[in-house]
């Protein structure tokens, strides 16, 4: 579900936010980086909030549960592996 201006709704695991483009994937990469960088401080991000604000339109608020973050993380890892595979072919 997509919550408009509300934090009490979260995305189902099979939700495909097409109009979010690759922002959830980028958000997940940032979460992975933050978790790695701050691990010595005991910080582990497990959820995320993404707000899309377009002038003269109501903001859309998307809450990502940990299961959804995990799915995007797996996509991110696959994308990174594909990059390194292609890079080795090109270089």
């Amino acid at each position: 579900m997509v919550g408009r201006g509300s934090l009490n709704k979260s995305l189902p695991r099979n939700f495909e936010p097409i109009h979010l483009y690759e922002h959830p994937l980028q958000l997940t990469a940032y979460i992975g980086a933050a978790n790695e960088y701050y691990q010595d401080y005991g910080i582990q991000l497990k959820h995320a909030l993404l707000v899309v604000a377009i002038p003269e339109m109501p903001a859309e608020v998307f809450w990502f549960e940990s299961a959804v973050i995990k799915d995007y993380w797996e996509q991110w890892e696959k994308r990174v592996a594909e990059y390194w595979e292609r890079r080795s072919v090109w270089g």
Side-chain angles (χ1 to χ4, degrees):
M1 268 190 209
V2 177
R4 287 185 180 261
S6 172
L7 298 180
N8 61 0
K9 298 193 179 195
S10 60
L11 300 172
R13 195 165 187 183
N14 61 353
F15 177 73
E16 291 295 329
I18 294 171
H19 70 285
L20 292 179
Y21 308 103
E22 296 203 352
H23 295 303
L25 200 60
Q26 183 177 5
L27 177 64
T28 301
Y30 286 132
I31 289 171
N35 285 344
E36 179 68 25
Y37 187 80
Y38 293 109
Q39 68 183 350
D40 292 342
Y41 300 97
I43 295 174
Q44 183 72 31
L45 302 176
K46 298 179 182 177
H47 300 88
L49 181 71
L50 179 63
V51 179
V52 178
I54 299 172
E56 300 182 27
M57 294 182 69
E60 291 183 284
V61 178
F62 300 90
W63 176 252
F64 294 85
E65 293 290 338
S66 59
V68 176
I69 296 293
K70 183 180 179 209
D71 289 343
Y72 278 113
W73 181 253
E74 290 169 1
Q75 291 177 39
W76 172 249
E77 286 181 319
K78 182 179 176 184
R79 177 93 47 104
V80 170
E82 288 173 0
Y83 166 79
W84 285 109
E85 183 179 318
R86 289 180 182 169
R87 187 169 186 252
S88 67
V89 171
W90 295 333

